[in-house]
Amino acid sequence: MIEVKNVTFGYTPSARVLEDFSLSFQEGGVYGLLGKNGTGKSTLLYLITGLLRAQKGSVQVDGVDSTRRQAEILADMFIVPEEYDLPAISLRNYVKALKPFYPNFSDELLEKCLREFEMPTDVNLAALSMGQKKKVYICIALAANTRYLLLDEPTNGLDILSKSLFRKVVITGMTENKTVIISTHQVHDVERLLDHVVIIDRNRILLDKRLEETDDTPVDIEKLFIDTLTK
């Protein structure tokens, strides 16, 4: 379980992104974290992983303060940021370097996810396009087999077919106790994946709702988002 308790954070003293903000994510399922630009979605993901430290309040993962960055907690958490660089080495060597930090890493799942994305099982990372790097990194994140997976705008840079395959790949890597948090503006790319939607507006939670489908018809997340913001 992830608990954000009365958190205040700003990149400068005069510009606070979050102030006295509280939110929790229960174990299991796929959360959509939605909000307008600048509402603190990415910041919240970095606070959860301990990459940022709140000025006030606390963020706890399974009862442990995220800022302690305990190895046991980090081994069960993986974040795919919106922007990142990959080293100019082979995928095989990159995975070899990562695996000691993720004891549940599955080579079989990595290969399966790569096949779903129609990617080769070993490539030189430096030779990949932005979209290809995104696909490979998402596959690595799922193969790490962590209980918590945080994805920041995961479909940015993917073509139309790859966005469709993204949903299939995420489902391939899901387990009963895995919690996935997807921060995105591309709601149509992920709406069929979501079990739960959280809509934030700076220090307010406008909606924290478990989704219920009727007659196999998914909830229109874009409409839900617009209706929530314009109430």
Side-chain angles (χ1 to χ4, degrees), residues 76 108 210:
D76 233 353
E108 180 181 356
R210 183 165 182 83

Side-chain angles (χ1 to χ4, degrees), residues 111-203:
E111 292 185 8
K112 187 174 182 180
C113 290
L114 288 168
R115 285 197 302 270
E116 296 284 8
F117 259 141
E118 301 177 351
M119 291 292 295
T121 56
D122 194 36
V123 291
N124 187 320
L125 299 179
L128 300 179
S129 68
M130 182 182 74
Q132 289 174 321
K133 287 179 180 178
K134 179 66 71 75
K135 288 190 281 188
V136 167
Y137 203 35
I138 289 171
C139 291
I140 291 170
L142 288 163
N145 256 335
T146 56
R147 287 176 50 235
Y148 298 106
L149 175 59
L150 314 181
L151 304 173
D152 194 5
E153 297 291 355
T155 60
N156 279 5
L158 299 183
D159 57 37
I160 295 172
L161 177 59
S162 297
K163 289 181 178 182
S164 176
L165 293 174
F166 166 77
R167 297 187 287 271
K168 188 176 181 180
V169 170
V170 172
I171 291 171
T172 297
M174 283 300 296
T175 58
E176 188 173 315
N177 69 339
K178 181 186 286 289
T179 303
V180 179
I181 304 174
I182 303 176
S183 169
T184 185
H185 293 104
Q186 312 300 324
V187 292
H188 286 311
D189 296 341
V190 302
E191 61 185 358
R192 289 182 176 273
L193 284 171
L194 303 183
D195 303 305
H196 204 111
V197 170
V198 176
I199 300 176
I200 65 174
D201 185 14
R202 291 197 178 273
N203 303 311

Side-chain angles (χ1 to χ4, degrees), residues 209-221:
K209 177 182 176 64
R210 183 165 182 83
L211 299 179
E212 302 290 342
E213 294 185 5
T214 56
D215 300 324
D216 297 323
T217 301
V219 177
D220 187 333
I221 303 296

Side-chain angles (χ1 to χ4, degrees), residues 9-137:
F9 177 85
Y11 291 96
T12 66
S14 60
R16 288 177 172 171
V17 180
L18 300 170
E19 188 165 7
D20 197 27
F21 181 85
S22 297
L23 177 63
S24 64
F25 297 93
Q26 302 296 321
E27 182 178 305
V30 182
Y31 283 79
L33 180 61
L34 312 179
K36 295 183 291 186
N37 290 333
T39 56
K41 301 185 302 297
S42 298
T43 298
L44 189 56
L45 297 186
Y46 292 133
L47 287 165
I48 290 170
T49 58
L51 293 170
L52 293 177
R53 182 186 296 266
Q55 278 96 40
K56 294 181 181 178
S58 67
V59 180
Q60 294 189 339
V61 180
D62 295 338
V64 178
D65 194 309
S66 66
T67 60
R68 297 177 63 183
R69 293 186 59 79
Q70 287 190 353
E72 295 82 0
I73 298 296
L74 295 179
D76 233 353
M77 180 181 294
F78 203 109
I79 183 170
V80 177
E82 182 178 4
E83 297 180 2
Y84 52 85
D85 291 316
L86 293 177
I89 59 177
S90 69
L91 173 58
R92 182 176 290 111
N93 284 336
Y94 187 61
V95 169
K96 183 179 179 180
L98 278 180
K99 285 173 71 172
F101 300 100
Y102 297 99
N104 297 318
F105 196 99
S106 169
D107 292 307
E108 180 181 356
L109 182 56
L110 175 60
E111 292 185 8
K112 187 174 182 180
C113 290
L114 288 168
R115 285 197 302 270
E116 296 284 8
F117 259 141
E118 301 177 351
M119 291 292 295
T121 56
D122 194 36
V123 291
N124 187 320
L125 299 179
L128 300 179
S129 68
M130 182 182 74
Q132 289 174 321
K133 287 179 180 178
K134 179 66 71 75
K135 288 190 281 188
V136 167
Y137 203 35

